[in-house]
Amino acid sequence: IDGLVARYLGEMPFLCCASPLYLERFGAPHHPSECVNHIGILINSPTRVATQELIRDGIAYPLRWKSSMSFKNLMAVRTAAVLGAGIVPDLPLFHAVEALRSGQLKTILEGWRCPPASCFIYATQEAYEKRRVRILFDWLAECEQKTLDKLRQEFPQFYG
């Protein structure tokens, strides 16, 4: 985009997950077609729309839910999932990591995912020309790159 400086940081995978409480009560789907028997927890925001399909081995399968709830905020999506409200088909690993480590969330629909998101950091060209902005930009990019690298090392199963 003209007038912007962008730095690519890496890829962020999305996970299908639910809480152990939800899975105890309703069981885990093993194929996207089984989501019709489950409650979906979806993100619908100005920057993201609800995932409509999952892909595995190049094959896409549409998602249909018995019922669903929709949020504009990823923290609300994660909280609803942790509390056992349903299944999230597309929680970013970054937002799921602590709940995965603590056992509050479990991954489901193994191998079925929506495509990962490319992560970037942006600044306007005008702002980037200022030394203090460039230093902050470079520092933020380095920190985010390290975070993404750590996630890839800790959770290699969600990449590739």
Side-chain angles (χ1 to χ4, degrees):
I1 302 174
D2 203 29
L4 285 180
V5 175
R7 178 154 326 146
Y8 174 75
L9 302 173
E11 298 292 311
M12 178 61 62
F14 295 96
L15 314 176
C16 298
C17 56
S19 73
L21 174 65
Y22 180 87
L23 297 173
E24 275 179 35
R25 292 180 67 206
F26 301 104
H30 300 289
H31 187 273
S33 63
E34 297 172 29
C35 289
V36 74
N37 301 315
H38 292 275
I39 300 166
I41 303 174
L42 310 175
I43 181 79
N44 262 319
S45 73
T47 58
R48 221 174 119 198
V49 297
T51 295
Q52 300 293 313
E53 65 184 18
L54 296 178
I55 301 167
R56 184 167 109 185
D57 300 327
I59 298 170
Y61 200 91
L63 286 173
R64 306 281 182 260
W65 302 99
K66 177 170 78 173
S67 63
S68 64
M69 59 187 80
S70 187
F71 295 91
K72 293 182 188 235
N73 179 294
L74 280 168
M75 303 305 281
V77 167
R78 184 186 67 199
T79 299
V82 165
L83 292 174
I87 294 170
V88 181
D90 58 355
L91 190 62
L93 176 58
F94 182 83
H95 291 282
V97 69
E98 292 303 323
L100 288 173
R101 287 177 183 147
S102 69
Q104 293 177 306
L105 288 177
K106 303 286 182 197
T107 58
I108 58 171
L109 292 168
E110 298 306 323
W112 289 97
R113 295 207 171 69
C114 62
S118 295
C119 298
F120 292 85
I121 187 170
Y122 294 95
T124 64
Q125 183 66 45
E126 181 182 348
Y128 189 76
E129 289 172 5
K130 295 175 182 156
R131 185 175 183 273
R132 68 181 183 271
V133 172
R134 198 169 45 255
I135 290 169
L136 177 63
F137 183 91
D138 293 343
W139 178 79
L140 285 171
E142 182 181 328
C143 290
E144 287 300 312
Q145 184 68 57
K146 286 179 183 177
T147 298
L148 290 173
D149 289 346
K150 285 179 185 177
L151 289 175
R152 181 181 284 276
Q153 288 173 1
E154 185 175 354
F155 299 99
Q157 68 272 28
F158 301 130
Y159 293 85

mmCIF file of all heavy atoms in Angstrom, residues 38-86:
data_model
loop_
_atom_site.group_PDB
_atom_site.id
_atom_site.type_symbol
_atom_site.label_atom_id
_atom_site.label_comp_id
_atom_site.label_asym_id
_atom_site.label_seq_id
_atom_site.Cartn_x
_atom_site.Cartn_y
_atom_site.Cartn_z
ATOM 1 N N HIS A 38 -23.378 -29.060 17.408
ATOM 2 C CA HIS A 38 -22.649 -28.295 18.423
ATOM 3 C C HIS A 38 -22.940 -26.803 18.334
ATOM 4 O O HIS A 38 -23.498 -26.316 17.359
ATOM 5 C CB HIS A 38 -21.149 -28.538 18.286
ATOM 6 C CG HIS A 38 -20.749 -29.927 18.634
ATOM 7 N ND1 HIS A 38 -20.488 -30.319 19.924
ATOM 8 C CD2 HIS A 38 -20.598 -31.035 17.864
ATOM 9 C CE1 HIS A 38 -20.182 -31.601 19.942
ATOM 10 N NE2 HIS A 38 -20.246 -32.062 18.703
ATOM 11 N N ILE A 39 -22.501 -26.086 19.373
ATOM 12 C CA ILE A 39 -22.640 -24.632 19.443
ATOM 13 C C ILE A 39 -21.325 -24.001 18.986
ATOM 14 O O ILE A 39 -20.254 -24.352 19.487
ATOM 15 C CB ILE A 39 -22.955 -24.188 20.888
ATOM 16 C CG1 ILE A 39 -24.264 -24.826 21.361
ATOM 17 C CG2 ILE A 39 -23.014 -22.661 20.984
ATOM 18 C CD1 ILE A 39 -24.477 -24.733 22.858
ATOM 19 N N GLY A 40 -21.416 -23.088 18.057
ATOM 20 C CA GLY A 40 -20.233 -22.383 17.563
ATOM 21 C C GLY A 40 -20.046 -21.056 18.284
ATOM 22 O O GLY A 40 -21.011 -20.343 18.549
ATOM 23 N N ILE A 41 -18.811 -20.757 18.616
ATOM 24 C CA ILE A 41 -18.453 -19.448 19.170
ATOM 25 C C ILE A 41 -17.668 -18.738 18.071
ATOM 26 O O ILE A 41 -16.558 -19.151 17.736
ATOM 27 C CB ILE A 41 -17.602 -19.581 20.445
ATOM 28 C CG1 ILE A 41 -18.323 -20.420 21.499
ATOM 29 C CG2 ILE A 41 -17.253 -18.203 20.984
ATOM 30 C CD1 ILE A 41 -17.479 -20.723 22.727
ATOM 31 N N LEU A 42 -18.257 -17.683 17.527
ATOM 32 C CA LEU A 42 -17.724 -17.074 16.312
ATOM 33 C C LEU A 42 -17.274 -15.640 16.545
ATOM 34 O O LEU A 42 -17.815 -14.945 17.401
ATOM 35 C CB LEU A 42 -18.797 -17.101 15.223
ATOM 36 C CG LEU A 42 -19.467 -18.463 14.991
ATOM 37 C CD1 LEU A 42 -20.585 -18.332 13.970
ATOM 38 C CD2 LEU A 42 -18.456 -19.510 14.580
ATOM 39 N N ILE A 43 -16.298 -15.224 15.765
ATOM 40 C CA ILE A 43 -15.832 -13.844 15.787
ATOM 41 C C ILE A 43 -16.396 -13.146 14.550
ATOM 42 O O ILE A 43 -16.281 -13.653 13.437
ATOM 43 C CB ILE A 43 -14.280 -13.738 15.842
ATOM 44 C CG1 ILE A 43 -13.812 -12.295 15.900
ATOM 45 C CG2 ILE A 43 -13.616 -14.434 14.694
ATOM 46 C CD1 ILE A 43 -13.923 -11.672 17.244
ATOM 47 N N ASN A 44 -17.056 -12.042 14.773
ATOM 48 C CA ASN A 44 -17.559 -11.188 13.701
ATOM 49 C C ASN A 44 -17.232 -9.765 14.093
ATOM 50 O O ASN A 44 -17.848 -9.215 14.994
ATOM 51 C CB ASN A 44 -19.073 -11.343 13.523
ATOM 52 C CG ASN A 44 -19.419 -12.288 12.402
ATOM 53 O OD1 ASN A 44 -18.789 -12.254 11.357
ATOM 54 N ND2 ASN A 44 -20.410 -13.129 12.626
ATOM 55 N N SER A 45 -16.245 -9.195 13.446
ATOM 56 C CA SER A 45 -15.809 -7.843 13.788
ATOM 57 C C SER A 45 -15.561 -7.075 12.497
ATOM 58 O O SER A 45 -15.594 -7.654 11.414
ATOM 59 C CB SER A 45 -14.536 -7.917 14.632
ATOM 60 O OG SER A 45 -13.430 -8.276 13.838
ATOM 61 N N PRO A 46 -15.298 -5.790 12.608
ATOM 62 C CA PRO A 46 -15.006 -5.025 11.390
ATOM 63 C C PRO A 46 -13.785 -5.552 10.629
ATOM 64 O O PRO A 46 -13.668 -5.341 9.430
ATOM 65 C CB PRO A 46 -14.750 -3.609 11.914
ATOM 66 C CG PRO A 46 -15.501 -3.544 13.203
ATOM 67 C CD PRO A 46 -15.399 -4.925 13.786
ATOM 68 N N THR A 47 -12.881 -6.241 11.328
ATOM 69 C CA THR A 47 -11.661 -6.720 10.658
ATOM 70 C C THR A 47 -11.673 -8.222 10.378
ATOM 71 O O THR A 47 -10.760 -8.725 9.742
ATOM 72 C CB THR A 47 -10.419 -6.395 11.507
ATOM 73 O OG1 THR A 47 -10.569 -7.010 12.791
ATOM 74 C CG2 THR A 47 -10.234 -4.901 11.652
ATOM 75 N N ARG A 48 -12.701 -8.917 10.860
ATOM 76 C CA ARG A 48 -12.730 -10.370 10.687
ATOM 77 C C ARG A 48 -14.152 -10.878 10.663
ATOM 78 O O ARG A 48 -14.977 -10.465 11.466
ATOM 79 C CB ARG A 48 -11.994 -11.022 11.850
ATOM 80 C CG ARG A 48 -11.145 -12.172 11.388
ATOM 81 C CD ARG A 48 -10.315 -12.702 12.497
ATOM 82 N NE ARG A 48 -10.710 -14.080 12.682
ATOM 83 C CZ ARG A 48 -10.467 -14.795 13.734
ATOM 84 N NH1 ARG A 48 -9.832 -14.286 14.746
ATOM 85 N NH2 ARG A 48 -10.838 -16.024 13.808
ATOM 86 N N VAL A 49 -14.432 -11.794 9.765
ATOM 87 C CA VAL A 49 -15.749 -12.419 9.711
ATOM 88 C C VAL A 49 -15.630 -13.873 10.159
ATOM 89 O O VAL A 49 -14.551 -14.458 10.132
ATOM 90 C CB VAL A 49 -16.377 -12.338 8.300
ATOM 91 C CG1 VAL A 49 -16.618 -10.904 7.885
ATOM 92 C CG2 VAL A 49 -15.498 -13.037 7.280
ATOM 93 N N ALA A 50 -16.750 -14.424 10.568
ATOM 94 C CA ALA A 50 -16.773 -15.806 11.056
ATOM 95 C C ALA A 50 -16.265 -16.769 9.983
ATOM 96 O O ALA A 50 -16.578 -16.639 8.799
ATOM 97 C CB ALA A 50 -18.190 -16.194 11.469
ATOM 98 N N THR A 51 -15.477 -17.721 10.420
ATOM 99 C CA THR A 51 -14.955 -18.751 9.520
ATOM 100 C C THR A 51 -16.116 -19.597 8.994
ATOM 101 O O THR A 51 -16.930 -20.091 9.772
ATOM 102 C CB THR A 51 -13.933 -19.631 10.269
ATOM 103 O OG1 THR A 51 -12.819 -18.800 10.611
ATOM 104 C CG2 THR A 51 -13.460 -20.789 9.437
ATOM 105 N N GLN A 52 -16.177 -19.752 7.697
ATOM 106 C CA GLN A 52 -17.270 -20.477 7.052
ATOM 107 C C GLN A 52 -16.921 -21.917 6.704
ATOM 108 O O GLN A 52 -17.813 -22.729 6.451
ATOM 109 C CB GLN A 52 -17.676 -19.753 5.763
ATOM 110 C CG GLN A 52 -18.157 -18.333 6.000
ATOM 111 C CD GLN A 52 -19.455 -18.287 6.764
ATOM 112 O OE1 GLN A 52 -20.394 -18.998 6.460
ATOM 113 N NE2 GLN A 52 -19.499 -17.459 7.791
ATOM 114 N N GLU A 53 -15.615 -22.223 6.673
ATOM 115 C CA GLU A 53 -15.196 -23.578 6.299
ATOM 116 C C GLU A 53 -13.855 -23.898 6.924
ATOM 117 O O GLU A 53 -13.100 -23.004 7.298
ATOM 118 C CB GLU A 53 -15.127 -23.732 4.779
ATOM 119 C CG GLU A 53 -14.063 -22.869 4.131
ATOM 120 C CD GLU A 53 -14.054 -22.954 2.617
ATOM 121 O OE1 GLU A 53 -15.048 -23.399 2.026
ATOM 122 O OE2 GLU A 53 -13.030 -22.571 2.033
ATOM 123 N N LEU A 54 -13.587 -25.190 7.050
ATOM 124 C CA LEU A 54 -12.281 -25.668 7.505
ATOM 125 C C LEU A 54 -11.669 -26.492 6.393
ATOM 126 O O LEU A 54 -12.382 -27.089 5.572
ATOM 127 C CB LEU A 54 -12.430 -26.500 8.787
ATOM 128 C CG LEU A 54 -12.943 -25.743 10.007
ATOM 129 C CD1 LEU A 54 -13.103 -26.691 11.194
ATOM 130 C CD2 LEU A 54 -12.029 -24.589 10.371
ATOM 131 N N ILE A 55 -10.336 -26.542 6.381
ATOM 132 C CA ILE A 55 -9.609 -27.219 5.304
ATOM 133 C C ILE A 55 -8.679 -28.258 5.904
ATOM 134 O O ILE A 55 -8.026 -28.009 6.921
ATOM 135 C CB ILE A 55 -8.799 -26.190 4.475
ATOM 136 C CG1 ILE A 55 -9.735 -25.141 3.888
ATOM 137 C CG2 ILE A 55 -7.986 -26.890 3.387
ATOM 138 C CD1 ILE A 55 -9.028 -23.929 3.320
ATOM 139 N N ARG A 56 -8.612 -29.408 5.255
ATOM 140 C CA ARG A 56 -7.635 -30.434 5.620
ATOM 141 C C ARG A 56 -7.206 -31.152 4.353
ATOM 142 O O ARG A 56 -8.037 -31.578 3.560
ATOM 143 C CB ARG A 56 -8.236 -31.437 6.603
ATOM 144 C CG ARG A 56 -7.208 -32.460 7.074
ATOM 145 C CD ARG A 56 -7.717 -33.231 8.247
ATOM 146 N NE ARG A 56 -8.002 -34.582 7.815
ATOM 147 C CZ ARG A 56 -8.562 -35.499 8.585
ATOM 148 N NH1 ARG A 56 -8.945 -35.209 9.810
ATOM 149 N NH2 ARG A 56 -8.772 -36.697 8.139
ATOM 150 N N ASP A 57 -5.903 -31.261 4.170
ATOM 151 C CA ASP A 57 -5.337 -31.918 2.988
ATOM 152 C C ASP A 57 -5.905 -31.353 1.684
ATOM 153 O O ASP A 57 -6.199 -32.084 0.745
ATOM 154 C CB ASP A 57 -5.585 -33.437 3.051
ATOM 155 C CG ASP A 57 -4.953 -34.079 4.268
ATOM 156 O OD1 ASP A 57 -3.887 -33.597 4.705
ATOM 157 O OD2 ASP A 57 -5.524 -35.050 4.793
ATOM 158 N N GLY A 58 -6.087 -30.039 1.675
ATOM 159 C CA GLY A 58 -6.565 -29.373 0.471
ATOM 160 C C GLY A 58 -8.062 -29.487 0.231
ATOM 161 O O GLY A 58 -8.565 -28.978 -0.765
ATOM 162 N N ILE A 59 -8.789 -30.130 1.119
ATOM 163 C CA ILE A 59 -10.238 -30.298 0.967
ATOM 164 C C ILE A 59 -10.944 -29.368 1.944
ATOM 165 O O ILE A 59 -10.678 -29.398 3.149
ATOM 166 C CB ILE A 59 -10.653 -31.761 1.219
ATOM 167 C CG1 ILE A 59 -9.990 -32.668 0.196
ATOM 168 C CG2 ILE A 59 -12.174 -31.910 1.190
ATOM 169 C CD1 ILE A 59 -10.126 -34.132 0.484
ATOM 170 N N ALA A 60 -11.831 -28.537 1.429
ATOM 171 C CA ALA A 60 -12.592 -27.600 2.257
ATOM 172 C C ALA A 60 -13.952 -28.199 2.581
ATOM 173 O O ALA A 60 -14.587 -28.838 1.733
ATOM 174 C CB ALA A 60 -12.772 -26.276 1.528
ATOM 175 N N TYR A 61 -14.382 -27.997 3.829
ATOM 176 C CA TYR A 61 -15.690 -28.482 4.252
ATOM 177 C C TYR A 61 -16.407 -27.342 4.977
ATOM 178 O O TYR A 61 -15.844 -26.727 5.880
ATOM 179 C CB TYR A 61 -15.553 -29.695 5.181
ATOM 180 C CG TYR A 61 -16.819 -30.492 5.252
ATOM 181 C CD1 TYR A 61 -17.044 -31.550 4.379
ATOM 182 C CD2 TYR A 61 -17.822 -30.146 6.157
ATOM 183 C CE1 TYR A 61 -18.230 -32.262 4.421
ATOM 184 C CE2 TYR A 61 -19.010 -30.854 6.202
ATOM 185 C CZ TYR A 61 -19.202 -31.907 5.340
ATOM 186 O OH TYR A 61 -20.376 -32.615 5.359
ATOM 187 N N PRO A 62 -17.667 -27.042 4.582
ATOM 188 C CA PRO A 62 -18.381 -25.926 5.210
ATOM 189 C C PRO A 62 -18.759 -26.230 6.661
ATOM 190 O O PRO A 62 -19.001 -27.380 7.029
ATOM 191 C CB PRO A 62 -19.633 -25.777 4.339
ATOM 192 C CG PRO A 62 -19.829 -27.112 3.711
ATOM 193 C CD PRO A 62 -18.463 -27.708 3.553
ATOM 194 N N LEU A 63 -18.811 -25.174 7.456
ATOM 195 C CA LEU A 63 -19.215 -25.294 8.856
ATOM 196 C C LEU A 63 -20.687 -24.915 9.003
ATOM 197 O O LEU A 63 -21.108 -23.861 8.541
ATOM 198 C CB LEU A 63 -18.374 -24.372 9.742
ATOM 199 C CG LEU A 63 -16.951 -24.797 9.988
ATOM 200 C CD1 LEU A 63 -16.197 -23.698 10.732
ATOM 201 C CD2 LEU A 63 -16.906 -26.089 10.785
ATOM 202 N N ARG A 64 -21.438 -25.783 9.649
ATOM 203 C CA ARG A 64 -22.833 -25.529 10.008
ATOM 204 C C ARG A 64 -22.963 -25.848 11.492
ATOM 205 O O ARG A 64 -22.446 -26.855 11.955
ATOM 206 C CB ARG A 64 -23.794 -26.418 9.218
ATOM 207 C CG ARG A 64 -23.632 -26.353 7.726
ATOM 208 C CD ARG A 64 -24.301 -25.096 7.145
ATOM 209 N NE ARG A 64 -24.170 -25.067 5.709
ATOM 210 C CZ ARG A 64 -23.272 -24.355 5.055
ATOM 211 N NH1 ARG A 64 -22.409 -23.620 5.706
ATOM 212 N NH2 ARG A 64 -23.208 -24.366 3.750
ATOM 213 N N TRP A 65 -23.662 -24.983 12.224
ATOM 214 C CA TRP A 65 -23.787 -25.138 13.670
ATOM 215 C C TRP A 65 -25.240 -25.374 14.070
ATOM 216 O O TRP A 65 -26.156 -24.866 13.419
ATOM 217 C CB TRP A 65 -23.274 -23.886 14.377
ATOM 218 C CG TRP A 65 -21.860 -23.566 14.047
ATOM 219 C CD1 TRP A 65 -21.417 -22.654 13.134
ATOM 220 C CD2 TRP A 65 -20.687 -24.175 14.599
ATOM 221 N NE1 TRP A 65 -20.039 -22.656 13.091
ATOM 222 C CE2 TRP A 65 -19.569 -23.576 13.984
ATOM 223 C CE3 TRP A 65 -20.477 -25.158 15.555
ATOM 224 C CZ2 TRP A 65 -18.266 -23.921 14.296
ATOM 225 C CZ3 TRP A 65 -19.185 -25.508 15.873
ATOM 226 C CH2 TRP A 65 -18.085 -24.891 15.243
ATOM 227 N N LYS A 66 -25.448 -26.109 15.161
ATOM 228 C CA LYS A 66 -26.789 -26.249 15.742
ATOM 229 C C LYS A 66 -27.276 -24.864 16.158
ATOM 230 O O LYS A 66 -28.401 -24.479 15.896
ATOM 231 C CB LYS A 66 -26.751 -27.204 16.941
ATOM 232 C CG LYS A 66 -28.087 -27.342 17.645
ATOM 233 C CD LYS A 66 -28.066 -28.459 18.666
ATOM 234 C CE LYS A 66 -27.373 -28.019 19.929
ATOM 235 N NZ LYS A 66 -27.462 -29.010 21.014
ATOM 236 N N SER A 67 -26.400 -24.130 16.805
ATOM 237 C CA SER A 67 -26.630 -22.727 17.141
ATOM 238 C C SER A 67 -25.261 -22.079 17.287
ATOM 239 O O SER A 67 -24.242 -22.771 17.357
ATOM 240 C CB SER A 67 -27.455 -22.578 18.426
ATOM 241 O OG SER A 67 -26.756 -23.121 19.523
ATOM 242 N N SER A 68 -25.261 -20.767 17.332
ATOM 243 C CA SER A 68 -23.975 -20.075 17.453
ATOM 244 C C SER A 68 -24.157 -18.779 18.219
ATOM 245 O O SER A 68 -25.263 -18.265 18.343
ATOM 246 C CB SER A 68 -23.357 -19.792 16.083
ATOM 247 O OG SER A 68 -24.167 -18.903 15.355
ATOM 248 N N MET A 69 -23.053 -18.311 18.753
ATOM 249 C CA MET A 69 -22.999 -16.985 19.365
ATOM 250 C C MET A 69 -21.841 -16.249 18.715
ATOM 251 O O MET A 69 -20.845 -16.860 18.341
ATOM 252 C CB MET A 69 -22.847 -17.080 20.879
ATOM 253 C CG MET A 69 -21.623 -17.820 21.352
ATOM 254 S SD MET A 69 -21.604 -18.075 23.128
ATOM 255 C CE MET A 69 -22.688 -19.484 23.248
ATOM 256 N N SER A 70 -22.005 -14.961 18.580
ATOM 257 C CA SER A 70 -21.024 -14.176 17.850
ATOM 258 C C SER A 70 -20.516 -13.037 18.725
ATOM 259 O O SER A 70 -21.294 -12.399 19.428
ATOM 260 C CB SER A 70 -21.696 -13.622 16.596
ATOM 261 O OG SER A 70 -20.774 -12.996 15.772
ATOM 262 N N PHE A 71 -19.215 -12.810 18.668
ATOM 263 C CA PHE A 71 -18.572 -11.749 19.445
ATOM 264 C C PHE A 71 -17.726 -10.887 18.517
ATOM 265 O O PHE A 71 -17.258 -11.349 17.486
ATOM 266 C CB PHE A 71 -17.653 -12.350 20.519
ATOM 267 C CG PHE A 71 -18.386 -13.136 21.567
ATOM 268 C CD1 PHE A 71 -18.597 -14.495 21.405
ATOM 269 C CD2 PHE A 71 -18.857 -12.532 22.720
ATOM 270 C CE1 PHE A 71 -19.265 -15.237 22.363
ATOM 271 C CE2 PHE A 71 -19.523 -13.260 23.688
ATOM 272 C CZ PHE A 71 -19.732 -14.620 23.509
ATOM 273 N N LYS A 72 -17.473 -9.661 18.956
ATOM 274 C CA LYS A 72 -16.605 -8.754 18.197
ATOM 275 C C LYS A 72 -15.191 -8.736 18.750
ATOM 276 O O LYS A 72 -14.317 -8.132 18.168
ATOM 277 C CB LYS A 72 -17.173 -7.335 18.235
ATOM 278 C CG LYS A 72 -18.477 -7.205 17.508
ATOM 279 C CD LYS A 72 -18.971 -5.791 17.536
ATOM 280 C CE LYS A 72 -20.357 -5.770 16.969
ATOM 281 N NZ LYS A 72 -20.575 -4.902 15.906
ATOM 282 N N ASN A 73 -14.959 -9.393 19.868
ATOM 283 C CA ASN A 73 -13.703 -9.307 20.588
ATOM 284 C C ASN A 73 -13.126 -10.712 20.821
ATOM 285 O O ASN A 73 -13.827 -11.584 21.339
ATOM 286 C CB ASN A 73 -13.982 -8.601 21.917
ATOM 287 C CG ASN A 73 -12.773 -8.456 22.777
ATOM 288 O OD1 ASN A 73 -12.223 -9.440 23.242
ATOM 289 N ND2 ASN A 73 -12.366 -7.221 23.006
ATOM 290 N N LEU A 74 -11.870 -10.916 20.459
ATOM 291 C CA LEU A 74 -11.255 -12.242 20.622
ATOM 292 C C LEU A 74 -11.114 -12.663 22.073
ATOM 293 O O LEU A 74 -11.180 -13.855 22.386
ATOM 294 C CB LEU A 74 -9.882 -12.271 19.939
ATOM 295 C CG LEU A 74 -9.928 -12.457 18.442
ATOM 296 C CD1 LEU A 74 -8.566 -12.170 17.819
ATOM 297 C CD2 LEU A 74 -10.390 -13.848 18.087
ATOM 298 N N MET A 75 -10.951 -11.708 22.971
ATOM 299 C CA MET A 75 -10.871 -12.062 24.394
ATOM 300 C C MET A 75 -12.210 -12.614 24.868
ATOM 301 O O MET A 75 -12.261 -13.551 25.667
ATOM 302 C CB MET A 75 -10.455 -10.845 25.223
ATOM 303 C CG MET A 75 -9.130 -10.232 24.785
ATOM 304 S SD MET A 75 -7.770 -11.401 24.748
ATOM 305 C CE MET A 75 -7.400 -11.462 26.468
ATOM 306 N N ALA A 76 -13.312 -12.043 24.391
ATOM 307 C CA ALA A 76 -14.642 -12.553 24.740
ATOM 308 C C ALA A 76 -14.851 -13.941 24.157
ATOM 309 O O ALA A 76 -15.436 -14.817 24.814
ATOM 310 C CB ALA A 76 -15.722 -11.590 24.250
ATOM 311 N N VAL A 77 -14.359 -14.174 22.945
ATOM 312 C CA VAL A 77 -14.456 -15.497 22.326
ATOM 313 C C VAL A 77 -13.710 -16.517 23.177
ATOM 314 O O VAL A 77 -14.239 -17.597 23.499
ATOM 315 C CB VAL A 77 -13.897 -15.464 20.880
ATOM 316 C CG1 VAL A 77 -13.693 -16.858 20.331
ATOM 317 C CG2 VAL A 77 -14.820 -14.658 19.983
ATOM 318 N N ARG A 78 -12.490 -16.190 23.555
ATOM 319 C CA ARG A 78 -11.698 -17.115 24.376
ATOM 320 C C ARG A 78 -12.375 -17.378 25.725
ATOM 321 O O ARG A 78 -12.455 -18.517 26.181
ATOM 322 C CB ARG A 78 -10.287 -16.582 24.598
ATOM 323 C CG ARG A 78 -9.426 -17.589 25.382
ATOM 324 C CD ARG A 78 -8.094 -17.052 25.747
ATOM 325 N NE ARG A 78 -8.293 -15.967 26.712
ATOM 326 C CZ ARG A 78 -7.393 -15.049 26.974
ATOM 327 N NH1 ARG A 78 -6.233 -15.051 26.363
ATOM 328 N NH2 ARG A 78 -7.642 -14.105 27.846
ATOM 329 N N THR A 79 -12.873 -16.338 26.364
ATOM 330 C CA THR A 79 -13.535 -16.496 27.658
ATOM 331 C C THR A 79 -14.763 -17.390 27.537
ATOM 332 O O THR A 79 -14.974 -18.285 28.367
ATOM 333 C CB THR A 79 -13.925 -15.119 28.241
ATOM 334 O OG1 THR A 79 -12.728 -14.357 28.415
ATOM 335 C CG2 THR A 79 -14.647 -15.258 29.559
ATOM 336 N N ALA A 80 -15.571 -17.176 26.521
ATOM 337 C CA ALA A 80 -16.760 -18.018 26.310
ATOM 338 C C ALA A 80 -16.353 -19.476 26.113
ATOM 339 O O ALA A 80 -16.986 -20.388 26.663
ATOM 340 C CB ALA A 80 -17.562 -17.509 25.110
ATOM 341 N N ALA A 81 -15.292 -19.707 25.366
ATOM 342 C CA ALA A 81 -14.825 -21.079 25.150
ATOM 343 C C ALA A 81 -14.336 -21.707 26.446
ATOM 344 O O ALA A 81 -14.690 -22.844 26.775
ATOM 345 C CB ALA A 81 -13.729 -21.107 24.087
ATOM 346 N N VAL A 82 -13.529 -20.983 27.198
ATOM 347 C CA VAL A 82 -12.991 -21.496 28.469
ATOM 348 C C VAL A 82 -14.128 -21.839 29.437
ATOM 349 O O VAL A 82 -14.057 -22.819 30.171
ATOM 350 C CB VAL A 82 -12.000 -20.483 29.088
ATOM 351 C CG1 VAL A 82 -11.707 -20.810 30.545
ATOM 352 C CG2 VAL A 82 -10.704 -20.446 28.278
ATOM 353 N N LEU A 83 -15.195 -21.047 29.403
ATOM 354 C CA LEU A 83 -16.328 -21.282 30.302
ATOM 355 C C LEU A 83 -17.247 -22.419 29.829
ATOM 356 O O LEU A 83 -18.213 -22.741 30.502
ATOM 357 C CB LEU A 83 -17.130 -19.986 30.476
ATOM 358 C CG LEU A 83 -16.401 -18.877 31.235
ATOM 359 C CD1 LEU A 83 -17.219 -17.585 31.221
ATOM 360 C CD2 LEU A 83 -16.076 -19.306 32.658
ATOM 361 N N GLY A 84 -16.938 -22.994 28.649
ATOM 362 C CA GLY A 84 -17.697 -24.153 28.188
ATOM 363 C C GLY A 84 -18.907 -23.841 27.337
ATOM 364 O O GLY A 84 -19.804 -24.671 27.195
ATOM 365 N N ALA A 85 -18.931 -22.660 26.722
ATOM 366 C CA ALA A 85 -20.096 -22.250 25.942
ATOM 367 C C ALA A 85 -20.194 -22.912 24.576
ATOM 368 O O ALA A 85 -21.273 -22.952 23.984
ATOM 369 C CB ALA A 85 -20.101 -20.731 25.782
ATOM 370 N N GLY A 86 -19.085 -23.430 24.035
ATOM 371 C CA GLY A 86 -19.131 -24.036 22.707
ATOM 372 C C GLY A 86 -17.751 -24.240 22.123
ATOM 373 O O GLY A 86 -16.757 -24.296 22.843
#
